[in-house]
Amino acid sequence: MITLCDSAVRECPAPLLKARHEHWSTPDPTFVDGDPQTVRAAFRQVRDRLESQIAALIDTLVRGDKGG
């Protein structure tokens, strides 16, 4: 299980968190103030960060690491 929201990691039922779990604290770009370009940039930053984290997770799973 992967949680992205800080409140989700606090509110998830404990049995779910006993499984393999990673928390990727991710800012919510919908709260970004500014012009459309600024908001778009915030969404892209979150997208790129998640893309990197997902790629790293896939690499870990392919290697067979237990981690987490």
Side-chain angles (χ1 to χ4, degrees):
M1 175 194 319
I2 297 171
T3 52
L4 303 177
C5 174
D6 292 337
S7 65
V9 76
R10 289 189 305 268
E11 296 171 16
C12 275
L16 292 177
L17 297 179
K18 289 181 183 177
R20 180 175 175 169
H21 174 253
E22 291 189 29
H23 178 61
W24 300 344
S25 183
T26 305
D28 186 343
T30 63
F31 291 117
V32 171
D33 290 327
D35 62 19
Q37 287 180 308
T38 301
V39 174
R40 190 176 305 116
F43 272 89
R44 288 179 175 156
Q45 183 178 13
V46 170
R47 177 202 60 200
D48 294 346
R49 180 176 163 185
L50 288 172
E51 182 179 39
S52 295
Q53 289 172 300
I54 290 167
L57 176 61
I58 290 170
D59 288 344
T60 298
L61 294 173
V62 167
R63 284 194 321 264
D65 294 353
K66 298 294 181 188

